[in-house]
Amino acid sequence: MKQQKNQSHYHGLFKEAMLGSFSKMNPAYLISNPVMFVVEIGLILTTCLSIFPNLFGPVPNDIRLYNIAISVILFFTILFANFAESIAEGRGKAQAESLKNTQKNMRARRLDDDEVETIIDAQELKKNDIILVKIGEIIPSDGEVIAGIASVDESAITGESAPVLKESGGDFASVTGGTMVASDWLKIRITANPGESFIDKMISLVEGASRKKTPNEIALNTLLVSLTIIFLIVVVTLYPLADYVGIHLDISTLIALTVCLIPTTIGGLLSAIGIAGMDRVTRFNVIAMSGKAVESCGDVDTMILDKTGTITFGNRLAAEFIPVAGVPKDKLIQAALLSSIQDDTPEGKSIVTLAADEGVLLSNQKMMGEFIPFSAQTRMSGMNLSNGAKIRKGAADAVKKWVQISGGTIPSDLDGIVQKVSSLGGTPLVVSQDNQIFGVIYLKDIIKPGLVERFARLREIGIKTVMCTGDNPLTAATIAEEAGVDSFVAECRPEDKIEVIKKEQAAGKVVAMTGDGTNDAPALAQADVGIAMNSGTTAAKEAANMVDLDSDPTKILDVVEIGKQLLITRGSLTTFSISNDVAKYFAIIPAMFMGAIPGMKALNIMELATSYSAIISALVFNALIIPILIPLAMRGVKYTPQKSEKILQHNMLVYGLGGMIAPFIGIKLIDSCIAPLLAIIGL
């Protein structure tokens, strides 16, 4: 059943692409692609010559068939180029349809100032409207949670089945239209007007409706136009030269020669490469707000990364109990366990787990007491036991001050233990009971697996990695060394990130960074490539030029590689196309002039039968190479992280040399097939 569904999908995609190919034949559309526009002008002229062979003077009677053959080949050349663009757009449109389905027949429960509900069409919602969404209902538009707490199923947008917890306040209050409340209820303030929601932007982007040419595309288009003009001059120059040596060149032949020599291959595939690049990012569950954003990823020189949640898991886990001199380890573990038994934080739970692994258990009687939660003011948490004992765990300086106020003394080896844990990249939690310090809990922030290798890959291609963390310099240095990043900024504040980005940009670097909070918005806007987490705030998503639907901060590493692949694909196919043109030049010109200049016969290394067969064979090859390369343009050239010099050498060898050789082989094979047919009709 699934296979039949996929076949039906591809059949529909192919059909839409074919219809789009014909609609793009409109000269008003093709004028945006100068190379293919020149081909269409040639098609119009050869079609006129097919109908009126003597339009520019008397010609042989059998030239009509030759004109028709060239017209047909030029028509398919344009059609294949349009098909490449249409098939790339078709994949985005198919995804857009699935997104549009989330908006159909959607209703909203709007609340007025008196909390009275009114059921309205979702399209009527405006910015700052207040709505209520209950369990099982679709969130009709983007907004911020102002009351309630609920699990939200974002699978319609992200494809991820696990619900995400949303609540008012903080960095996880933002909700996206089209997602569903899976539990409880939420009161939401709408943050987008109709047609301006995140899902509307996604639909517009994946359909290609708002796609604009990127700076690199514009530069490459300028190059292609320049080459087209150069080859037009070359062809025009050939006409008097041929006339001088006694060779008559038909208008159709000059048009065909022009089409063969101008860079039609890359001209036909350029748009498809750009669209497919954005599509690859989209299929990776990242929405790029522009083609420029994807392209900029390929030019990234510096990557700014948060430590917590990006380089490390963010949940500091208890790794070891270290008692001070004279205190039994079991006594430290019991105190640490008592201070954490009602602590629901990941750190507290990990302390309980580690204590159990050490074989320390507590009786219910000892567990009785008042739990003291952690606060930013005290920087400690703990328990006031029913027997009057007060146990605290927290930052070293806070606990030391607590003990000194209680009349206790600081163990001489405590500072050494704290410094050792910090130097290992861990967080030391000092444990005390009343006025006595028992020791230190070593909390370790675990580095995500595989990051060391990925950072090494980035280093190979010349990308500098900078870790930003609020940790002290000693802890930051240890984590940076363990993760393999190139540099770090310790005790980093939001404004410090902006300074780091500006400093790198001032040195001519292209900078990328990730973020999810409102305080990250200025830095995301400043960076050349800013990736906001979908779970983050509306401010962060609006400031960034990419949004990661999976909210995986490490995905920036993969997005950069996709950007590199886009640039390499464009460069590789441009190299192949220009090499093709040079090869076709040397393949066709000798066959055209060998009748009048016998010495040219030595250059006809392919031994093409006649000038007519040479022209038509080259035209057929020129047309067929476009659909042959469509899969490569869509999939992208395989990317392996390596230095620019090696990439250039590889491209010149594979696509440069390959582009030179392919026309010789292809044109010769086509010539051997069509030369007998042309001989029958007298050409």
Side-chain angles (χ1 to χ4, degrees):
M1 182 66 73
K2 186 176 181 180
Q3 186 175 3
Q4 289 178 349
K5 186 176 180 181
N6 286 338
Q7 288 176 348
S8 175
H9 168 72
Y10 288 120
H11 177 74
L13 189 62
F14 182 84
K15 183 179 177 181
E16 287 291 326
M18 285 302 300
L19 292 173
S21 302
F22 284 98
S23 66
K24 292 177 189 293
M25 297 289 285
N26 186 344
Y29 180 85
L30 272 185
I31 198 169
S32 62
N33 187 339
V35 176
M36 300 315 298
F37 184 65
V38 169
V39 178
E40 185 160 56
I41 292 174
L43 169 61
I44 294 169
L45 289 174
T46 55
T47 302
C48 291
L49 289 170
S50 299
I51 301 170
F52 309 106
N54 299 314
L55 187 63
F56 297 105
V59 293
N61 292 330
D62 52 8
I63 202 68
R64 184 191 295 268
L65 290 174
Y66 175 65
N67 292 340
I68 292 172
I70 289 179
S71 298
V72 170
I73 298 168
L74 293 183
F75 174 80
F76 277 101
T77 301
I78 301 170
L79 193 69
F80 290 151
N82 290 343
F83 181 78
E85 184 174 349
S86 294
I87 199 74
E89 289 176 344
R91 297 203 302 186
K93 287 177 180 177
Q95 185 178 5
E97 279 303 315
S98 66
L99 291 173
K100 286 178 181 178
N101 289 335
T102 65
Q103 295 183 311
K104 289 181 179 177
N105 304 318
M106 200 179 294
R107 309 287 285 171
R109 197 191 308 266
R110 186 169 61 188
L111 303 178
D112 61 18
D113 294 339
D114 298 322
E115 300 287 310
V116 176
E117 297 180 10
T118 306
I119 305 299
I120 63 169
D121 191 301
Q123 294 299 318
E124 297 178 28
L125 286 174
K126 297 178 181 178
K127 194 172 183 179
N128 293 323
D129 280 349
I130 306 297
I131 62 170
L132 178 67
V133 187
K134 297 181 179 180
I135 182 171
E137 295 179 347
I138 303 293
I139 297 173
S141 186
D142 296 355
E144 296 277 351
V145 177
I146 59 174
I149 180 170
S151 295
V152 175
D153 181 357
E154 298 183 330
S155 58
I157 305 297
T158 68
E160 184 63 46
S161 58
V164 180
L165 193 67
K166 298 287 184 177
E167 59 183 320
S168 61
D171 291 343
F172 296 96
S174 172
V175 292
T176 305
T179 57
M180 185 182 76
V181 174
S183 71
D184 303 290
W185 58 271
L186 293 173
K187 189 185 290 185
I188 299 166
R189 176 183 289 109
I190 299 300
T191 57
N193 286 315
E196 298 176 359
S197 69
F198 181 61
I199 196 168
D200 288 317
K201 292 176 184 177
M202 286 172 63
I203 291 169
S204 178
L205 287 163
V206 298
E207 281 186 323
S210 62
R211 175 180 137 74
K212 297 179 181 179
K213 288 186 183 293
T214 63
N216 277 355
E217 276 186 287
I218 293 171
L220 186 53
N221 251 327
T222 304
L223 172 63
L224 297 182
V225 170
S226 302
L227 291 173
T228 300
I229 293 171
I230 290 169
F231 281 119
L232 279 171
I233 295 171
V234 169
V235 171
V236 170
T237 307
L238 279 177
Y239 186 80
L241 180 62
D243 189 58
Y244 178 77
V245 297
I247 296 176
H248 174 71
L249 292 180
D250 303 300
I251 299 298
S252 294
T253 298
L254 291 173
I255 291 170
L257 184 60
T258 301
V259 172
C260 284
L261 298 185
I262 64 176
T264 50
T265 304
I266 187 61
L269 294 173
L270 186 59
S271 291
I273 293 169
I275 295 169
M278 284 190 69
D279 183 62
R280 278 195 296 277
V281 172
T282 303
R283 288 174 181 273
F284 210 67
N285 257 10
V286 174
I287 297 297
M289 298 306 177
S290 67
K292 183 180 178 181
V294 180
E295 194 173 84
S296 297
C297 287
D299 291 326
V300 166
D301 301 297
T302 304
M303 193 178 295
I304 311 294
L305 298 156
D306 276 327
K307 184 203 78 170
T308 305
T310 303
I311 293 175
T312 65
F313 283 108
N315 292 334
R316 298 171 299 169
L317 306 178
E320 187 180 357
F321 296 108
I322 308 172
V324 295
V327 175
K329 188 175 183 179
D330 283 357
K331 192 173 183 179
L332 165 63
I333 297 174
Q334 284 191 8
L337 182 55
L338 279 167
S339 68
S340 307
I341 203 71
Q342 296 184 37
D343 187 348
D344 289 330
T345 64
E347 294 88 347
K349 291 177 180 178
S350 71
I351 292 170
V352 174
T353 301
L354 184 61
D357 292 341
E358 295 277 353
V360 176
L361 300 173
L362 296 176
S363 66
N364 290 334
Q365 186 177 359
K366 286 187 176 181
M367 291 167 57
M368 299 296 291
E370 178 193 3
F371 175 65
I372 308 298
F374 176 87
S375 70
Q377 289 75 29
T378 64
R379 296 165 64 212
M380 296 185 298
S381 65
M383 284 277 285
N384 291 337
L385 300 180
S386 55
N387 62 7
K390 296 181 179 180
I391 300 176
R392 296 290 184 271
K393 69 174 188 295
D397 55 344
V399 176
K400 284 163 66 175
K401 186 177 180 180
W402 166 270
V403 168
Q404 287 173 333
I405 290 174
S406 302
T409 57
I410 307 302
S412 58
D413 58 339
L414 178 64
D415 289 340
I417 296 172
V418 169
Q419 188 174 2
K420 180 181 177 182
V421 170
S422 297
S423 67
L424 293 172
T427 300
L429 284 185
V430 176
V431 179
S432 71
Q433 180 170 326
D434 297 326
N435 63 353
Q436 183 183 3
I437 291 177
F438 288 170
V440 174
I441 305 170
Y442 172 18
L443 295 181
K444 187 174 183 182
D445 204 353
I446 309 298
I447 292 175
K448 293 184 176 181
L451 279 188
V452 175
E453 293 77 10
R454 295 173 82 178
F455 287 142
R457 288 172 64 187
L458 291 173
R459 197 173 296 109
E460 286 177 12
I461 56 178
I463 294 178
K464 175 185 175 184
T465 50
V466 180
M467 181 186 77
C468 291
T469 175
D471 290 337
N472 62 68
L474 189 59
T475 301
T478 304
I479 293 288
E481 184 179 357
E482 188 177 346
V485 296
D486 297 308
S487 63
F488 65 90
V489 179
E491 298 175 344
C492 184
R493 300 165 299 170
E495 53 268 32
D496 294 330
K497 292 181 183 178
I498 299 176
E499 288 303 315
V500 173
I501 293 170
K502 286 182 176 179
K503 182 180 177 182
E504 293 292 323
Q505 289 173 332
K509 307 292 185 181
V510 177
V511 183
M513 78 157 287
T514 63
D516 60 0
T518 300
N519 61 352
D520 290 325
L524 287 169
Q526 180 67 39
D528 299 283
V529 179
I531 302 184
M533 302 299 102
N534 190 41
S535 61
T537 62
T538 301
K541 287 189 278 190
E542 288 179 349
N545 49 24
M546 287 186 171
V547 177
D548 175 21
L549 301 179
D550 294 331
S551 301
D552 177 6
T554 62
K555 199 178 285 184
I556 189 173
L557 307 175
D558 302 287
V559 171
V560 165
E561 292 194 353
I562 292 173
K564 291 281 185 187
Q565 185 186 36
L566 169 64
L567 295 181
I568 290 171
T569 300
R570 190 181 291 152
S572 298
L573 292 184
T574 301
T575 303
F576 184 88
S577 179
I578 294 174
S579 299
N580 256 252
D581 297 333
V582 175
K584 284 180 283 186
Y585 185 87
F586 287 103
I588 299 168
I589 299 300
M592 290 176 59
F593 285 88
M594 64 185 179
I597 307 174
M600 281 283 191
K601 193 170 184 179
L603 296 177
N604 185 22
I605 58 177
M606 287 188 288
E607 299 181 355
L608 301 179
T610 65
S611 60
Y612 287 120
S613 71
I615 286 288
I616 292 179
S617 298
L619 263 187
V620 172
F621 175 83
N622 194 64
L624 291 179
I625 200 66
I626 294 176
I628 289 172
L629 290 175
I630 286 177
L632 183 61
M634 299 290 289
R635 185 180 64 251
V637 172
K638 185 178 179 182
Y639 172 67
T640 304
Q642 52 187 325
K643 292 193 178 296
S644 301
E645 298 81 4
K646 289 188 176 181
I647 292 174
L648 179 62
Q649 291 172 3
H650 178 267
N651 283 355
M652 291 302 294
L653 180 64
V654 175
Y655 297 97
L657 186 59
M660 290 285 288
I661 295 172
F664 285 92
I665 298 172
I667 292 172
K668 177 59 181 175
L669 289 173
I670 296 168
D671 180 77
S672 63
C673 295
I674 68 169
L677 298 175
L678 294 178
I680 293 173
I681 61 175
L683 289 175

